[in-house]
Amino acid sequence: MTPPTASTRAANPERLAGLRRFCGGAVYLPGDPQYDDARRPWNLRADDRPAAVAYPAFPDEVAELVRGAAAAGLRVAPQGTGHGAPPLSGQLGEAVLLRTSAMTEVRIDAANRTARVGAGVLWGDVISRVGAARLACRHMSSPSVGVVGSSLGGGISWYGRAHGLQCSAVTAVEVVLADGSIVRATDEQNSDLLWAARGGGGGFGVVTAMEFDLLPITTPYAGMLAWDWRHSLEVADTWSRWAATAPDEVTSILRLVEAPDEPWLPAAVRGRSLVVIDGAVVADPRVAAELMAPLRALGPDVDTFEPRPAASLARLHLEPEAPMSAHASSTLVSALPAEGVQALVEAAGPGSGSRLMFAEVRQLGGALGRPAPRAGALDRIDGGFLVLTIGTTGRSGGWDGQRVDADRVRDAVQPWGSGSLYLSMVDDRDDERRAVPGGHWDRLAAIRAAADPDGLFVLPHSGSR
Amino acid sequence: MDEAGGLTLRVLGELDAVRDGVVIDLGGRRQRAVLAALIIARGDVVSAERLAECVWGDGAAARSGGPLHSYVSHLRRRMQPDAGARGRTDVIVRVGPGYTLSVGADAVDAWRFERELEAATDLPPSGRVKQLREALANWRGPAYTEYADESWVGPEVARLTELRAVARDRLMDARLTLGESALLVPELEAQVGDDPLREERWRLLILALYRAGRQGDALAALRRARHVLIEELGIEPGPALRSLERDVLAQSPALDGPARLRPADEAAPRPAPDRAPAPNGHRPTPSDLVDRDREIATLTRAVDDVLNGSGGLLVIEGSAGIGKTRLLVEAGRLAAAAGVRVLGARSSELERAFGFGTVRQLFEPLLLDRADDGTLLAGGAQGARPVFETVVDDPAEGTFAVLHGLYRLTVNLTADRPLLLSVDDVQWSDGASLRFLAYLVKRLDGLPVLVVLTVRTGEPRSADGLLTELLLEPSATVLHPQALSAEAAAAVVRTRLDGADEAFVAICHRTTSGNPLLLRQLVRALESEGVPPDVVHTDTVRAVGSRAVASLVMLRLRRMPPAAVEVARAVALVGAQADLPAIAALAQLPDEQAAEALDLLSRSEILADSPPLRFVHPLVQDAVYHDVSAGDLALRHERAARMLAERGARAESVAAHLLLSPARGDTATVQVLRAAALLAAGRGATDSAVTYLRRALDEPPAARHRIDLLVELGRMESMVDGVAAVAHLTEAYSSLTDPAERAELAMVIARTQAFVGRRGAATGFAAAAAEAIPPEYEDERQGLQSLVRVTGYMHALPPETYRTGPDPQLTGTGSGARMLAAIRAFELMVDGTDRSEAVDLARFALADDRLLDADHMLLWIPAVDVLLMADVDVSDLWRHARSHARVAGSLFAMLSVNTWQGFAQWRHGRLDDALQSMGDAMQQMPVWGPLSMGGSYGAAFIAGIHLDRGDVDAAARVIRDGRTLARIGDGARVMRLVSAQLCLAQGRPEAALNALNADVGHFDIGNPAWDNWREPAARAHAALGHSDRALALADEHVTLLRRWGAPSSLGEGLVLAGELRGAAGLPLLREAVDILATSPSTLGLARARLALGRRPEVPAAEAVPLLRDAAGAARDCGCPPVVDAALAALADRGAAPGDDHRTGPRMTSRERQVVDLTAAGLDVHQVAQRLFLTPGTVHDVLISAAAKMQGTGE
């Protein structure tokens, strides 16, 4: 019997119940008391009711589940924490949500400066262990984000401009393909799969484990500068000029934020409206301090820049860690000249009436903008800056208001847009072709078609087939 | 970051240095010696001269300077390659005329080790264990390995070595404090071996042994320590060991380890528990027992009760993992603290075939402990010996002696203190053990024995009704522990994961549904994976915790080293029967590695940390066991069997694995299984024996062994599964050639068929076998012929099918002749014609006990019945048969004796005694197994006795319950008679006549003494007004009884005929009184006197004494209807009741026996033992006797 194709699939209730025997019983179906707990992603805005939710712990359990789902006429949607749940929304009714949280293996090889992690491992779990080995990793700005998911999507870290995308550091992945076969992909074997895993976002199988290089960084010069946000324009203008010329050792973010009065924020920030620059410099402290001097000259109210253990960068960006409702919108711009800065501050800064949680500009370029030595679906990011807004509930205007304000920010910088997208920070379903460099996309689609000819795996963004 | 920050210097092993995780080449031996000398100086300045001495062995000043300087600069370059030449001087610093080492306190492993060792001192035990383990992890080998012989290094090496030993001792001490005693024993043994002069190690070993419940070994270790110290050092052990010795001998509570401490217990001194400590020194509830207040209260009450001498049965019932075992452990802990002796067992699915496996787990440790004592198995407990012996010469036929012996053993154990018997997972206990427990719990009244059982619900229960019987015991208290509440779950989570977030805790509870086992395993898994208990990781909790327990454990196991997995599998396979070397052999690992793995498994809460080796929960064992494929499993069992056999394990232990090994037609396997079956049979564990033999048959055996095996199996099966027995025995029979063997086997088959075969099968088979036997085997043929006839009668076949041709003549005096004589006597009795011939034949049959040995099942009873029907005194025979049954240990024999002696007592009018005998028989029946034949006799007799006692309702109840019993056959025939009597007593004569017409098969019984149907029929007709029909029947009855001539039956028949005739019947009644006066039937005589005495025609002078005698005798017999009628008749005549009335009821013979023995100074237990009763029964009998004595003034 050939497996059913996407068009002929129809879920069969008995076969659905048959899924229960997989994953040591860690399978939930609609109506189970804990189904609601299990289907809930980190981003609570996504409220989907998958046909089943399963928590496999080993590749063989993933393989069994994948085969079982296909036999039951269901698709499979792999998901880690569910930070990236929104683009999947609406696609899960006939799918098994395969949550990777039980695959918690973490191994650090300090001598070879590599790490191996299971698909359920969060960056926070890795950062501390890597730090203990006196190394650093290209981790995301939030410790509660999953390693594998964010690496599949690219991965911009505090060391990005010096050391490139996290996905370019990936040396091996272990993948369960649509037919249930378990393969290991390296540059030597199944290299297509590894290539697709480097920034291709998935869709070719379930990645159960990933290996990547670590960095010999122990004490980066890192911290945060903050001013009352009435200085937004001056600070943003100075930063954008500084950032455009800063050496690759520097990676930084400018953020316009009306910080909520919440206990998880440090007292210096809590409940205040600020313009913040945070970042890391991988250089000798004296050199780093010299680099920071032009920004310090603006007289920040808060200045925490100093040499600090790499592991302490986990929470540098003060991201909310507990599950919440959020909407991310972002765009890539080639450059941000003074007019651009002004437009941004007008759209999101003081007096803008913005109801967003925050708007920020991430400094790209450097190694992030050059083709990585290791080829991958995403081997660089096309743009000098990433403009990102995050909306959330509990603000005036509701989701509609948030969206209006997010669109306003995006439109304000659109004149400088690079035309490309960084999909990991886009919650609305968009066309993958805008994110993957031309030519790469055809190869990615071909690799997916070979690994998953019947379209078993659900893709967050459109365009692959 | 300074450049030396990444540098570690290592001396605990080969001297080397590590920089950023990479070992640095430090150059040659001499160059490195410079560094060694500087490290030993610990930051002090070492002169160049001194360094030169270290390097070259003497103060060769001439060579100092240049070479030394170059060594130092080489060392600097290698340790700090990145620094410029001028920046390299900050690790080895030049100070005046010498050098010093300038590195952080943690940069040298020896220094770090010392610091960690010191830091451990102030930590609570679990922190200490962690810290000391870390400290010891610094060691890679002997300190300064390559310089150990140098004089300048020697003192430092000695110092470090001593510190390492101290660290090890302290680690052991801390682990012992955490309650890991049993696991530490092997490790401590090894350490004592390494350094037998360290008294601290001996102390720890002895303490560990003691706490592991091995007092004997602890004392032996003390002796070894003393011996070594005196031999080697010439000194006595120091004060620590001496006081330990005193405490061990005194079993001082000071030696008791804490119940395993949890980190939360140690973090801070806990406030006093809410509830005041219970009386009797019960300890407060440990913190890991949350949400169990109600259950603990029940346990505490049960323990208090047993302390007050009142035992009972407590059943803890619930689903897997709900916390039954934990409560069982707590019961044991409470009881032990209160001074109760605690014996425990855990049954397992794998060991279900192990005959008396559970019982042996319970008692064996104690018996081994007292190996040279032997008092426990003395006296009445002797019957239990086969259960505990490794060689059994003479397989017992039944289980009664064993059961009773075990019961006596239990009683003996209560001599000095109360007893708690606990059995975990009793649903998996072997049949023999269940039988014992069922036997025991009915006898707990008045015994200070508390039995606590756990039963897992939702499991298929064993097929026999024993478990149900046990659990439905009306006196049992049943506990149903519930899932943990959210608060309780939070407490459990936070003991391990300190400061766990609310949301995290809530998910733990929801995901596990509050199942304590699952919750604990989840928390353990989260802890070992280092999952932070924060809100971000709630999804990890769900991912791990939503697995079933088994798969959660496998998840953890799969993340452990392969050695741990193999060791876990080995333990799952052989479990409690194995020690470390056995496990290591089975896991195919060196001992040390296996020990490490065991330690890891125990620290991970996969294995329990107290002996014997076992998993924390049967579910965990199941998970590990079933994780390998069926084929692989069979091979592993085969390996286990081979390994156990090589290690000299008992046949049964080996057989348990052979049962699950692949069948290979191996002769050795068959031999082991047969040996195991023999042992099991010897213990009365027939079902186990059958299991082994069936497996042996599947092997299959070599052709030459097959017949023997079939016979062994069939004989065993005949006691538990007659249908299978017949099939196997018949197969053997058809292959046998030796006529004597064939005849013997044919008899076994026929007897078995008599009870389980289809009607007529036994008779047909025995007839064919008798036919086939060669002429020279005359005695065997007689035996078979007797079986033809007795089974024909039992099954109510048409007589012409089994009594064909001329009556057989007896030949010789063999067993066959006795058997044939018995059935011939019985037939003569049934015919009712030739009493003296019948009695002669019966006497011949019973003489010399040949029949008792040859066939107590089928033919001994008929022979006795003949004598009984002929009014021959058979009381000696009962006594004889009883002791024979006891010696043979045959429960079946015992229950037939009770049944038929009850019948005899009933006939003679001793109604109380009869009821007691029948009660014993009925109690033994379910233990033996379903037995419709004996059952219908028993029920009929009991109903009849109740009727005579005037208790119509009780009789009706027994008969109603007896409807499920056999409807055809001799038992049904007796039942039919009693049913008719009941109808009469209820005033339903028509129904009585209908009852008599029920079809019970073919009977042609000419002797009304044996089949007294005419009496109820005549009385029914009389009641319906058919006097002619009634009189005709009564006359025919008397005529036939005169032909048989036994006074008791004839007298009763005359009473019937006399009563029916009214005034004309007086002569008949007078004759009846005269005849009955010569018979053993006291009640019959009383009835005759009553019948005569209440006739108005009889003058008062004659009637009053008759009625007074009748009342007195009937009272002695326990027959109120006759008493009441006699008293009423006396009252009618205006006469006083007579002296007897004031004396009240007389004591039964049992009451008399009990009172006499008590008067002779025996206590309740001794009396019980002597009379084969339970202490509870003795107690009851004494109370009723006391009441009677009060009435009589005795």
Side-chain angles (χ1 to χ4, degrees):
Chain A
M1 194 186 91
T2 53
T5 60
S7 54
T8 63
R9 256 182 216 118
N12 170 333
E14 283 154 42
R15 289 184 169 176
L16 196 59
L19 295 177
R20 288 190 192 282
R21 67 176 189 277
F22 299 123
C23 309
V27 176
Y28 297 106
L29 302 182
D32 288 353
Q34 291 167 49
Y35 171 75
D36 279 342
D37 272 342
R39 70 184 178 88
R40 191 168 295 146
W42 181 89
N43 191 336
L44 302 172
R45 200 165 62 82
D47 182 20
D48 286 271
R49 301 185 61 80
V53 186
Y55 289 92
F58 299 99
D60 51 351
E61 290 184 350
V62 173
E64 256 185 352
L65 185 71
V66 163
R67 281 194 291 259
L74 296 170
R75 300 181 74 194
V76 173
Q79 183 176 79
T81 58
H83 276 77
L88 284 170
S89 254
Q91 303 192 70
L92 301 182
E94 293 292 305
V96 175
L97 184 65
L98 188 161
R99 306 210 59 182
T100 57
S101 324
M103 293 182 269
T104 54
E105 173 196 14
V106 179
R107 266 192 274 158
I108 309 295
D109 181 345
N112 292 308
R113 288 194 197 138
T114 59
R116 175 188 164 85
V117 301
V121 172
L122 310 183
W123 275 115
D125 304 334
V126 180
I127 295 169
S128 51
R129 294 190 211 194
V130 168
R134 305 180 53 74
L135 295 168
C137 53
R138 296 168 180 84
H139 59 86
M140 304 305 106
S141 53
S142 165
S144 73
V145 168
V147 175
V148 165
S150 61
S151 302
L152 287 173
I156 302 172
S157 75
W158 293 118
Y159 314 114
R161 285 168 38 82
H163 295 284
L165 285 164
Q166 156 67 9
C167 67
S168 307
V170 174
T171 54
V173 283
E174 279 165 20
V175 189
V176 177
L177 303 178
D179 64 358
S181 53
I182 301 172
V183 298
R184 177 178 166 85
T186 62
D187 281 322
E188 284 74 43
Q189 50 172 340
N190 301 306
S191 54
D192 271 357
L193 287 175
L194 178 59
W195 182 88
R198 288 186 183 136
F204 48 82
V206 183
V207 175
T208 54
M210 179 176 270
E211 294 167 18
F212 52 89
D213 285 342
L214 302 173
L215 298 169
I217 298 173
T218 52
T219 46
Y221 191 84
M224 168 176 92
L225 306 174
W227 298 259
D228 187 281
W229 80 341
R230 63 176 189 273
H231 304 296
S232 289
L233 188 59
E234 184 193 359
V235 170
D237 192 49
T238 308
W239 174 75
S240 70
R241 278 181 284 114
W242 173 85
T245 56
D248 291 358
E249 283 73 20
V250 179
T251 305
S252 66
I253 302 176
L254 174 107
R255 183 187 262 185
L256 298 169
V257 59
E258 286 177 285
D261 188 5
E262 282 180 15
W264 56 270
L265 286 169
V269 173
R270 203 181 298 159
R272 295 182 61 189
S273 295
L274 298 167
V275 53
V276 179
I277 296 168
D278 50 6
V281 187
V282 190
D284 181 277
R286 278 177 311 239
V287 176
E290 275 165 33
L291 272 171
M292 295 303 295
L295 300 175
R296 281 184 164 138
L298 299 174
D301 297 347
V302 178
D303 179 354
T304 64
F305 268 92
E306 62 179 0
R308 53 171 77 213
S312 72
L313 269 62
R315 292 190 160 81
L316 181 64
H317 201 48
L318 302 176
E319 301 259 24
E321 292 175 29
M324 64 178 290
S325 292
H327 175 254
S329 164
S330 69
T331 191
L332 291 165
V333 295
S334 308
L336 209 54
E339 299 85 353
V341 169
Q342 184 153 6
L344 174 78
V345 173
E346 278 169 11
S352 67
S354 167
R355 293 158 290 191
L356 294 166
M357 194 172 167
F358 60 76
E360 68 184 32
V361 185
R362 296 196 171 205
Q363 181 192 10
L364 305 178
L368 291 171
R370 295 189 290 270
R374 291 191 183 119
L378 190 70
D379 59 351
R380 68 199 157 87
I381 296 185
D382 180 16
F385 295 94
L386 175 88
V387 178
L388 166 71
T389 62
I390 298 289
T392 184
T393 48
R395 303 249 166 177
S396 60
W399 283 121
D400 290 344
Q402 302 280 311
R403 188 172 292 268
V404 168
D405 292 353
D407 288 351
R408 191 169 66 210
V409 174
R410 199 184 55 198
D411 294 346
V413 298
Q414 209 49 60
W416 299 273
S418 73
S420 183
L421 284 176
Y422 178 60
L423 282 180
S424 293
M425 293 188 181
V426 175
D427 275 357
D428 290 336
R429 209 164 139 73
D430 212 316
D431 189 340
E432 271 188 318
R433 272 172 276 217
R434 291 183 61 200
V436 180
H440 285 197
W441 192 84
D442 294 333
R443 184 175 171 197
L444 180 59
I447 292 168
R448 283 176 179 159
D452 180 15
D454 297 311
L456 182 72
F457 297 111
V458 179
L459 279 167
H461 292 282
S462 68
S464 71
R465 51 177 79 88
Chain B
M1 202 77 238
D2 71 353
E3 274 302 304
L7 183 71
T8 306
L9 304 174
R10 307 197 297 182
V11 299
L12 302 177
E14 295 265 338
L15 178 90
D16 66 16
V18 180
R19 208 171 145 281
D20 292 332
V22 182
V23 175
I24 305 169
D25 177 12
L26 289 178
R29 186 176 185 278
R30 285 187 171 159
Q31 185 164 304
R32 282 180 295 136
V34 174
L35 189 57
L38 289 170
I39 293 172
I40 290 172
R42 314 193 121 229
D44 286 347
V45 176
V46 187
S47 70
E49 196 179 344
R50 170 74 179 152
L51 283 175
E53 249 176 60
C54 297
V55 173
W56 289 284
D58 62 15
R63 278 189 281 174
S64 70
L68 183 64
H69 184 258
S70 94
Y71 282 162
V72 168
S73 72
H74 279 125
L75 280 171
R76 283 173 169 164
R77 193 172 313 135
R78 293 198 166 158
M79 288 193 286
Q80 296 171 279
D82 299 339
R86 302 195 71 81
R88 285 194 190 122
T89 53
D90 53 0
V91 171
I92 298 178
V93 183
R94 171 110 208 177
V95 182
Y99 293 88
T100 176
L101 187 66
S102 167
V103 289
D106 273 355
V108 176
D109 60 355
W111 303 354
R112 190 164 61 237
F113 164 71
E114 277 187 65
R115 190 183 52 73
E116 285 168 347
L117 173 57
E118 201 173 323
T121 317
D122 300 327
L123 294 175
S126 71
R128 202 149 74 223
V129 167
K130 189 163 173 286
Q131 180 88 40
L132 288 167
R133 280 208 169 107
E134 276 168 22
L136 284 165
N138 286 307
W139 285 77
R140 293 162 298 124
Y144 297 95
T145 313
E146 47 193 330
Y147 303 102
D149 297 334
E150 304 277 7
S151 61
W152 53 277
V153 183
E156 173 71 356
V157 169
R159 194 181 68 85
L160 288 169
T161 307
E162 171 65 17
L163 283 177
R164 185 188 195 185
V166 167
R168 280 179 170 165
D169 291 354
R170 288 191 184 164
L171 175 60
M172 288 293 147
D173 185 52
R175 289 177 64 189
L176 203 51
T177 312
L178 289 176
E180 290 182 39
S181 33
L183 267 175
L184 295 183
V185 168
E187 217 165 321
L188 283 165
E189 281 284 8
Q191 291 195 11
V192 161
D194 287 348
D195 193 350
L197 302 182
R198 285 186 82 83
E199 287 193 45
E200 173 65 3
R201 286 198 180 155
W202 283 108
R203 188 185 73 81
L204 292 168
L205 171 65
I206 290 155
L207 205 52
L209 285 167
Y210 180 85
R211 287 191 186 161
R214 295 164 59 181
Q215 283 183 52
D217 292 345
L219 287 169
L222 270 162
R223 281 196 296 276
R224 273 156 58 206
R226 182 183 300 277
H227 180 76
V228 168
L229 292 172
I230 292 178
E231 278 292 296
E232 303 275 325
L233 303 178
I235 55 165
E236 282 281 323
L241 279 186
R242 286 208 304 276
S243 90
L244 181 62
E245 182 167 22
R246 272 194 306 278
D247 286 347
V248 167
L249 287 169
Q251 301 189 4
S252 160
L255 294 183
D256 288 342
R260 196 177 158 83
L261 288 175
R262 299 292 169 204
D265 295 332
E266 315 162 359
R270 292 172 72 83
D274 293 344
R275 85 182 66 76
N280 310 316
H282 292 181
R283 301 181 206 180
T285 308
S287 65
D288 68 324
L289 249 185
V290 284
D291 234 12
R292 292 286 181 256
D293 294 348
R294 217 158 37 92
E295 286 80 4
I296 299 291
T298 307
L299 296 180
T300 310
R301 250 195 326 274
V303 169
D304 287 343
D305 285 350
V306 80
L307 286 172
N308 294 326
S310 161
L313 170 64
L314 192 68
V315 177
I316 307 173
E317 209 172 29
S319 57
I322 201 70
K324 302 180 295 295
T325 304
R326 184 65 192 83
L327 284 173
L328 192 70
V329 169
E330 188 57 17
R333 202 183 66 91
L334 288 170
V340 175
R341 185 197 306 281
V342 179
L343 300 178
R346 173 190 280 186
S347 307
S348 88
E349 224 172 348
L350 288 180
E351 288 164 27
R352 213 173 195 168
F354 214 123
F356 282 114
T358 302
V359 163
R360 282 159 66 181
Q361 276 190 54
L362 283 174
F363 295 110
E364 218 154 46
L366 199 70
L367 294 171
L368 292 178
D369 216 34
R370 297 214 200 167
D372 34 359
D373 182 336
T375 49
L376 285 177
L377 284 175
Q382 208 145 13
R385 270 184 199 281
V387 174
F388 305 103
E389 272 159 15
T390 43
V391 181
V392 182
D393 306 328
D394 187 17
E397 197 173 327
T399 57
F400 185 63
V402 173
L403 287 184
H404 192 73
L406 287 169
Y407 164 69
R408 295 306 316 174
L409 168 63
T410 310
V411 174
N412 288 350
L413 282 171
T414 60
D416 52 346
R417 47 189 166 134
L419 178 66
L420 170 74
L421 294 178
S422 76
V423 180
D424 204 1
D425 280 325
V426 74
Q427 77 276 0
W428 288 325
S429 286
D430 59 287
S433 294
L434 283 176
R435 199 163 283 154
F436 163 66
L437 288 170
Y439 186 89
L440 176 67
V441 298
K442 295 205 185 314
R443 291 165 175 74
L444 289 179
D445 207 21
L447 257 192
V449 177
L450 174 60
V451 178
V452 188
L453 310 173
T454 71
V455 194
R456 191 194 290 185
T457 50
E459 286 289 314
R461 299 232 168 122
S462 62
D464 58 30
L466 281 166
L467 183 63
T468 315
E469 168 108 8
L470 183 58
L471 300 178
L472 292 182
E473 169 63 28
S475 64
T477 308
V478 183
L479 284 178
H480 292 280
Q482 300 296 311
L484 298 180
S485 66
E487 297 73 42
V492 170
V493 174
R494 293 201 169 112
T495 41
R496 279 221 177 265
L497 301 170
D498 205 19
D501 181 274
E502 278 305 327
F504 186 90
V505 168
I507 285 289
C508 287
H509 180 238
R510 278 215 297 280
T511 304
T512 57
S513 306
N515 180 300
L517 172 71
L518 187 51
L519 181 68
R520 265 181 246 281
Q521 287 290 328
L522 168 63
V523 171
R524 204 68 186 74
L526 296 172
E527 187 195 34
S528 70
E529 301 235 319
V531 174
D534 54 27
V535 64
V536 172
H537 288 84
T538 51
D539 210 50
T540 316
V541 174
R542 197 159 30 235
V544 176
S546 53
R547 306 174 82 84
V549 171
S551 96
L552 172 53
V553 167
M554 284 321 295
L555 184 148
R556 295 178 50 205
L557 204 58
R558 281 176 73 168
R559 291 176 182 177
M560 289 185 182
V565 179
E566 276 310 307
V567 165
R569 284 178 178 159
V571 177
L573 212 60
V574 292
Q577 303 167 37
D579 50 9
L580 173 65
I583 293 293
L586 206 53
Q588 300 174 318
L589 291 169
D591 281 8
E592 310 83 66
Q593 214 178 331
E596 268 170 37
L598 283 174
D599 189 47
L600 174 64
L601 290 167
S602 146
R603 274 187 283 120
S604 313
E605 271 178 58
I606 288 178
L607 291 182
D609 60 3
S610 58
L613 269 179
R614 62 186 189 185
F615 286 83
V616 289
H617 196 277
L619 277 186
V620 179
Q621 171 161 7
D622 283 359
V624 176
Y625 180 80
H626 290 296
D627 190 51
V628 286
S629 70
D632 190 16
L633 206 51
L635 294 177
R636 281 167 190 266
H637 276 296
E638 192 174 38
R639 202 157 78 211
R642 203 163 44 232
M643 183 272 294
L644 288 170
E646 278 162 8
R647 298 168 61 83
R650 289 181 185 181
E652 283 164 301
S653 304
V654 180
H657 293 281
L658 290 176
L659 286 178
L660 298 163
S661 301
R664 299 193 189 280
D666 180 38
T667 305
T669 297
V670 172
Q671 290 316 321
V672 171
L673 288 164
R674 284 175 73 179
L678 194 65
L679 274 170
R683 302 193 170 104
T686 313
D687 23 16
S688 301
V690 167
T691 307
Y692 296 138
L693 292 173
R694 283 183 179 162
R695 172 64 183 79
L697 198 61
D698 288 344
E699 182 66 9
R704 66 185 186 284
H705 291 137
R706 184 172 175 87
I707 297 174
D708 288 351
L709 188 58
L710 283 168
V711 172
E712 279 167 31
L713 174 58
R715 279 177 183 276
M716 283 297 145
E717 283 173 330
S718 70
M719 299 190 225
V720 289
D721 181 354
V723 178
V726 168
H728 286 136
L729 290 171
T730 310
E731 189 195 334
Y733 177 77
S734 61
S735 322
L736 273 179
T737 47
D738 180 77
E741 284 176 2
R742 275 172 70 89
E744 199 202 330
L745 198 55
M747 285 193 237
V748 176
I749 295 171
R751 281 190 199 106
T752 310
Q753 282 181 327
F755 290 100
V756 300
R758 137 189 82 70
R759 192 169 164 215
T763 315
F765 179 86
E771 193 73 30
I773 209 159
E776 61 270 32
Y777 293 93
E778 186 56 34
D779 196 55
E780 283 82 355
R781 183 173 30 257
Q782 293 185 89
L784 283 166
Q785 281 173 335
S786 74
L787 288 171
V788 170
R789 299 171 92 96
V790 75
T791 57
Y793 174 81
M794 271 175 64
H795 287 176
L797 300 180
E800 59 274 19
T801 59
Y802 63 92
R803 284 178 71 172
T804 48
D807 287 332
Q809 296 305 305
L810 295 182
T811 310
T813 57
S815 301
R818 312 282 177 163
M819 289 166 70
L820 191 55
I823 190 61
R824 279 297 299 136
F826 185 76
E827 287 167 359
L828 287 173
M829 184 275 282
V830 166
D831 294 346
T833 45
D834 195 338
R835 181 158 58 105
S836 66
E837 173 69 8
V839 169
D840 287 348
L841 279 169
R843 287 201 156 121
F844 168 74
L846 292 166
D848 311 327
D849 285 350
R850 293 293 294 267
L851 195 54
L852 214 44
D853 291 332
D855 195 334
H856 65 78
M857 286 174 89
L858 279 179
L859 288 159
W860 186 84
I861 295 287
V864 175
D865 281 342
V866 170
L867 298 183
L868 199 57
M869 290 301 134
D871 286 342
V872 176
D873 181 7
V874 293
S875 42
D876 278 354
L877 284 173
W878 297 129
R879 253 201 310 280
H880 212 62
R882 211 172 267 280
S883 65
H884 196 270
R886 221 171 287 168
V887 169
S890 166
L891 185 59
F892 184 88
M894 190 59 84
L895 89 85
S896 351
V897 169
N898 279 329
T899 303
W900 291 96
Q901 189 179 15
F903 172 66
Q905 286 162 335
W906 176 36
R907 261 189 77 75
H908 294 161
R910 286 160 37 215
L911 301 184
D912 288 349
D913 287 342
L915 210 52
Q916 262 160 0
S917 299
M918 292 311 302
D920 290 349
M922 296 312 268
Q923 204 185 51
Q924 287 154 351
M925 216 161 285
V927 177
W928 172 257
L931 206 67
S932 60
M933 187 70 69
S936 22
Y937 282 124
F941 295 166
I942 290 175
I945 297 164
H946 282 310
L947 281 177
D948 279 357
R949 289 163 58 98
D951 193 344
V952 179
D953 290 346
R957 239 181 350 259
V958 173
I959 287 175
R960 197 180 55 232
D961 294 347
R963 289 219 182 102
T964 54
L965 299 167
R967 305 230 171 154
I968 301 286
D970 198 47
R973 179 188 64 78
V974 180
M975 195 65 148
R976 177 174 74 175
L977 296 180
V978 179
S979 300
Q981 302 275 18
L982 173 68
C983 294
L984 282 178
Q986 290 168 331
R988 299 159 55 219
E990 271 215 75
L993 290 174
N994 285 337
L996 286 172
N997 281 329
D999 178 20
V1000 293
H1002 299 272
F1003 288 101
D1004 186 9
I1005 298 173
N1007 188 349
W1010 183 245
D1011 188 32
N1012 183 12
W1013 65 272
R1014 288 181 186 84
E1015 172 166 355
R1019 288 197 191 275
H1021 282 300
L1024 290 165
H1026 316 144
S1027 339
D1028 291 353
R1029 181 90 186 94
L1031 277 178
L1033 278 168
D1035 288 346
E1036 189 187 16
H1037 188 50
V1038 170
T1039 309
L1040 291 170
L1041 285 170
R1042 283 192 200 282
R1043 198 173 61 167
W1044 175 245
S1048 57
S1049 306
L1050 176 56
E1052 283 169 21
L1054 289 167
V1055 170
L1056 170 71
E1059 280 186 331
L1060 289 177
R1061 281 199 159 71
L1066 279 182
L1068 291 176
L1069 293 178
R1070 290 214 159 83
E1071 188 190 352
V1073 169
D1074 291 346
I1075 287 183
L1076 282 164
T1078 68
S1079 86
S1081 177
T1082 335
L1083 189 55
L1085 177 58
R1087 283 207 181 99
R1089 282 173 170 160
L1090 169 64
L1092 184 58
R1094 70 177 166 192
R1095 290 304 311 174
E1097 301 81 4
V1098 178
E1102 185 189 351
V1104 170
L1106 280 172
L1107 289 169
R1108 281 186 178 151
D1109 284 351
R1115 190 178 295 118
D1116 291 350
C1117 289
C1119 181
V1122 172
V1123 178
D1124 294 347
L1127 292 177
L1130 282 168
D1132 284 349
R1133 288 178 188 269
D1139 294 346
D1140 264 359
H1141 181 62
R1142 283 192 313 276
T1143 63
R1146 287 213 186 140
M1147 283 189 274
T1148 63
S1149 61
R1150 170 165 299 169
E1151 284 164 354
R1152 173 58 65 196
Q1153 282 176 307
V1154 169
V1155 169
D1156 288 349
L1157 287 172
T1158 308
L1162 272 61
D1163 69 18
V1164 172
H1165 291 301
Q1166 289 165 321
V1167 174
Q1169 187 160 344
R1170 184 74 66 88
L1171 296 181
F1172 238 67
L1173 299 171
T1174 73
T1177 305
V1178 171
H1179 190 72
D1180 291 346
V1181 168
L1182 274 173
I1183 287 176
S1184 73
K1188 291 177 183 176
M1189 285 193 283
Q1190 226 159 20
T1192 61
E1194 269 185 69

